[in-house]
Each structure stands twice: as structure tokens, then as C-alpha cells.
């Protein structure tokens, strides 16, 4: 595979730091630029982050002495890379403008941000689920007037746990409706226990905007390309509640689902065991070998024990059983900053590279 020079825009934040760690020793992608706000620009990355390094592994040596660029100096950053990962913390309209500026500078953007998730010609992709949506990119390039530049995004971290479990059941059995309650780690808010002591011994029953994303984004993932846009699916009906809990990493979901054609428990388990997608078929470097892992034990998956399954890129499922109101209920778990954020974006970039969109 061709080697690519990569930049991280928003490199000093938690997700930006995760990108930096994931790019260490990546077989295709080599970190050549880090960019952040003007207050960090001009410093070496090690000094810009300072005591705010939030990863459990040490800062990669190759990143420490990179001089942080001003993320708003688009041409300067774009000249040093083949594409960028974007994980900035800004207002949505500012993010949209910044990402579009990079794309128009002929620098592809793979974004962790939500700003462009519902732009009709921007693919929002989980590679195992809707890899075909990257085929909208030529239409987006026509709109932007670019040859190489485009924007692709990953979906919200909260739905990365339960949507992969529902997806293999859609075609054969037709998911009619789903109720989902998510229990989300504090790293999803860019926090750890040192920076957010109020979360200890606490549970917050509100995460701004999260429930709407959990209900609407799956329908775009399951949508279809029609002309120059991606049109969201109209079903299944999803309702969600999202809670913040005192866990460092790992989003859990309690899922209740009803089907047009009710499968047996054995049929569901078989669907999960046999499911794979383009990420596995292409043998992408970050792809889990087995995407969905089912646990027979009554008390699994557990966040601390299971969030790092297959380098944090797998989805763990357990407690499948019939329900009195819905057909079935079960529990899902995914690592929110790996599969749900930076890792999912790296996997998307690998798909784009394998399909030639980064050339």
C-alpha cells in the first residue's frame, strides 16, 4: 500500500491525542503535521500538550518535537500532508467552514466532528456497515470544485455499540423499532476523573444533543445514495436516552428491538457470529478480525474487562433474551475513543485509501 503523510487538526485535545497514538507505527499513515489553536501554534507538541496528556500510553517520540501549526493556516498545513484527521473543539459553523477550507485546498478531511454528518453529499461511514456511501465523494467534489479534496466523517460514538448489532439482522428479519439506553464514559466529553471530579459517585441523565444523534444518525447510515445526495432511511423507529456515568472509557447500550419477522435466538447469534464487512474483506490494518463478539456469561460484557477487545475496535454483546414488550433485549459495549472516535476515523481513512480516494 502507498504511504501517506497525515496531519491531525485539533491535535492537543483528547481525541487528537488518540489520533497521535494510533498513528504511531501505522503501516500506511505517517504523522507529519499537528495543528491546533493559535495559543498552541509555534510550540513543539510536547510543550503544547504539557501536563494535559490524557492517554494511558506515553506520547510517541516521533510526535514530541513536531512544531504545532495554526489550524486556521489551511494552506500551510495542507502543503505538508496528503490528508488530515480533524478533531477540533469549535462551534459547528466554524468547524464546517474549516473542514470545507481544507477540502477546497485539495486536502481530504476525515473528521471526528459532527458538523458535517448531515451534509447531504458527505459520507458518514462505519466501514462494516455502509462502506458504499463513499461513492458519493465524486458528487461532493463537483459541488466543492475540487479534484482531490473532500470531507468524510464517522458517526457519533454512542451508536457505534448498538447499530453494529442491529445491522446484520436488518436484511433478513427487518428491525421494526428499537429502544436504546446508553451509558456513556466521561472520555466522550473529553474528560478524565482528574478534570471532572463531580462525576465520581454520580450519574448525569443528560448529554446535550446525544439522544437526537442516536435516533437520527443510524438512519443516514442505513440510507441510500440518490443522485447527488445520501437520503436517510425511514425505518426502523429508534428512541434513545443517553446517560453519562463514572467510567473512563467505553459506552454501553441496553437495547430493546422488535422485528417484522421475529428470528429465533439461535438465528440472531448466528447472524452476529458470521457477520463481517468490507473492513474485514479488505483486511484493513485497524479492522477487528471478528467485529461482533457475543458473551454467554450473564455478567458480560463488562466495561473494564471488555472495552479493549481486538484493540478496542470490536463490539461486544451479551444478555440476549426475549422481552415482554419488545421481541428481544440485549446489551452492547464499544470503546468510545477507539471504535467510537479516533479508531473509527482511522479505519474509515484506511477504507478510503484502499479504494483510491486518497490518491
Amino acid at each position: 500500500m502507498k504511504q501517506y503523510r497525515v496531519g491531525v487538526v485539533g491535535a492537543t485535545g483528547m481525541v487528537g491525542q488518540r489520533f497521535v497514538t494510533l498513528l504511531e507505527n501505522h503501516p500506511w499513515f505517517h504523522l507529519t503535521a499537528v495543528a491546533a489553536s493559535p495559543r498552541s501554534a509555534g510550540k513543539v507538541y510536547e510543550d503544547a500538550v504539557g501536563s494535559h496528556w490524557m492517554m494511558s500510553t506515553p506520547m510517541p517520540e516521533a510526535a514530541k518535537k513536531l512544531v504545532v501549526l495554526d489550524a486556521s493556516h489551511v494552506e500551510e498545513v495542507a502543503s505538508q500532508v496528503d490528508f488530515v484527521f480533524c478533531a477540533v473543539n469549535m462551534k459547528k459553523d466554524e468547524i464546517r467552514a474549516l473542514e470545507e477550507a481544507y477540502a477546497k485546498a485539495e486536502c481530504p478531511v476525515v473528521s471526528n466532528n459532527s458538523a458535517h454528518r448531515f451534509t447531504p453529499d458527505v459520507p458518514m461511514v462505519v466501514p462494516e456497515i455502509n462502506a458504499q456511501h463513499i461513492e458519493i465523494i465524486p458528487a461532493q467534489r463537483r459541488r466543492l470544485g475540487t479534484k482531490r479534496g473532500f470531507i468524510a466523517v464517522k458517526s457519533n460514538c454512542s451508536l457505534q455499540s448498538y447499530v453494529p448489532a442491529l445491522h446484520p439482522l436488518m436484511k433478513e428479519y427487518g428491525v421494526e423499532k428499537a429502544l436504546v439506553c446508553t451509558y456513556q464514559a466521561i472520555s466522550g466529553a473529553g474528560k478524565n476523573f482528574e478534570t471532572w471530579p463531580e462525576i465520581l459517585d454520580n450519574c448525569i441523565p443528560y448529554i446535550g444533543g446525544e439522544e437526537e444523534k442516536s435516533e437520527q444518525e443510524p438512519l443516514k447510515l442505513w440510507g441510500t445514495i440518490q443522485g447527488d445526495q445520501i437520503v436517510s432511511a425511514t425505518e426502523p423507529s429508534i428512541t434513545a436516552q443517553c446517560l453519562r456515568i463514572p467510567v473512563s472509557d467505553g459506552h454501553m447500550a441496553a437495547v430493546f428491538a422488535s422485528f417484522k419477522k421475529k428470528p429465533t435466538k439461535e438465528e440472531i447469534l448466528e447472524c452476529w457470529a458470521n457477520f463481517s464487512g468490507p473492513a474485514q474483506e479488505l483486511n484493513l490494518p485497524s479492522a477487528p478480525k471478528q467485529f461482533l463478539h457475543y458473551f454467554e456469561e450473564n455478567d458480560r460484557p463488562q466495561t473494564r474487562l471488555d472495552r479493549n477487545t481486538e484493540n478496542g475496535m470490536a463490539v461486544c454483546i451479551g444478555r440476549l433474551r426475549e422481552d415482554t414488550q419488545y421481541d428481544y433485549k440485549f446489551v452492547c459495549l464499544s470503546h468510545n475513543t477507539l471504535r467510537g472516535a479516533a479508531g473509527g476515523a482511522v479505519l474509515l481513512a484506511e477504507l478510503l485509501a484502499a479504494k483510491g480516494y486518497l490518491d
Side-chain angles (χ1 to χ4, degrees), residues 208-252:
E210 203 77 358
E211 288 160 0
E212 294 81 358
K213 294 172 187 174
S214 296
E215 293 170 354
Q216 296 166 13
E217 288 187 20
L219 298 177
K220 183 171 181 179
L221 292 177
W222 288 320
T224 54
I225 295 175
Q226 298 181 23
D228 289 348
Q229 61 181 337
I230 297 167
V231 177
S232 293
T234 57
E235 56 182 10
S237 169
I238 300 173
T239 184
Q241 287 207 106
C242 300
L243 291 75
R244 188 74 73 192
I245 61 170
V247 163
S248 58
D249 294 300
H251 286 357
M252 188 168 278

Side-chain angles (χ1 to χ4, degrees), residues 17-329:
Q17 292 177 23
R18 180 67 79 181
F19 275 122
V20 169
T21 63
L22 291 175
L23 292 171
E24 185 180 24
N25 303 319
H26 192 283
W28 302 353
F29 304 151
H30 302 283
L31 182 66
T32 57
V34 289
S37 66
R39 68 177 177 271
S40 296
K43 301 175 183 177
V44 295
Y45 184 64
E46 184 177 30
D47 292 341
V49 174
S51 61
H52 298 291
W53 182 252
M54 301 176 83
M55 300 294 103
S56 58
T57 54
M59 182 182 291
E61 289 297 324
K64 287 182 178 179
K65 302 307 176 187
L66 288 175
V67 176
V68 178
L69 305 174
D70 187 329
S72 66
H73 295 176
V74 173
E75 296 288 347
E76 180 185 12
V77 179
S79 69
Q80 299 184 31
V81 299
D82 296 313
F83 73 95
V84 295
F85 291 111
C86 190
V88 294
N89 182 15
M90 300 162 60
K91 294 177 181 177
K92 280 193 178 182
D93 58 341
E94 294 173 348
I95 294 173
R96 279 193 287 269
L98 182 68
E99 292 181 345
E100 207 157 284
Y102 275 94
K104 288 181 176 178
E106 300 295 358
C107 179
V109 177
V110 180
S111 179
N112 183 71
N113 301 303
S114 64
H116 272 293
R117 286 182 191 153
F118 281 95
T119 302
D121 59 9
V122 170
M124 178 177 68
V125 176
V126 177
E128 289 89 349
I129 292 174
N130 65 326
Q132 72 278 9
H133 281 191
I134 63 175
E135 295 168 13
I136 198 70
I137 288 171
Q140 185 193 145
R141 284 171 168 162
R142 286 193 296 273
R143 174 176 65 85
L144 296 174
T146 60
K147 294 180 179 178
R148 282 192 75 246
F150 65 87
I151 302 161
V153 301
K154 52 150 289 295
S155 63
N156 182 260
C157 53
S158 66
L159 57 90
Q160 298 275 349
S161 55
Y162 63 87
V163 168
L166 293 173
H167 181 72
L169 308 173
M170 297 276 288
K171 186 175 181 181
E172 186 74 22
Y173 305 108
V175 179
E176 193 168 50
K177 61 179 181 175
L179 182 153
V180 182
C181 294
T182 64
Y183 306 88
Q184 301 186 204
I186 62 174
S187 56
K191 306 280 190 179
N192 59 22
F193 291 122
E194 291 179 2
T195 59
W196 199 5
E198 299 87 354
I199 195 66
L200 291 170
D201 193 30
N202 199 10
C203 176
I204 300 173
Y206 174 73
I207 306 171
E210 203 77 358
E211 288 160 0
E212 294 81 358
K213 294 172 187 174
S214 296
E215 293 170 354
Q216 296 166 13
E217 288 187 20
L219 298 177
K220 183 171 181 179
L221 292 177
W222 288 320
T224 54
I225 295 175
Q226 298 181 23
D228 289 348
Q229 61 181 337
I230 297 167
V231 177
S232 293
T234 57
E235 56 182 10
S237 169
I238 300 173
T239 184
Q241 287 207 106
C242 300
L243 291 75
R244 188 74 73 192
I245 61 170
V247 163
S248 58
D249 294 300
H251 286 357
M252 188 168 278
V255 186
F256 302 77
S258 289
F259 300 88
K260 294 178 181 177
K261 175 188 171 186
K262 184 178 177 181
T264 65
K265 180 178 179 179
E266 291 69 29
E267 286 171 331
I268 293 175
L269 293 174
E270 185 178 358
C271 276
W272 287 341
N274 294 332
F275 180 66
S276 66
Q280 286 71 37
E281 292 154 17
L282 293 166
N283 198 28
L284 299 178
S286 299
K289 301 301 180 199
Q290 177 73 32
F291 184 27
L292 306 178
H293 288 248
Y294 185 78
F295 290 80
E296 295 287 351
E297 300 92 331
N298 286 330
D299 61 351
R300 302 282 288 276
Q302 289 184 27
T303 306
R304 189 162 58 177
L305 296 180
D306 302 312
R307 62 191 167 200
N308 290 312
T309 301
E310 297 217 38
N311 299 313
M313 292 298 288
V315 171
C316 298
I317 313 171
R319 301 205 68 211
L320 173 65
R321 60 221 190 273
E322 291 196 52
D323 183 58
T324 57
Q325 306 296 315
Y326 288 72
D327 288 336
Y328 286 98
K329 54 190 171 186

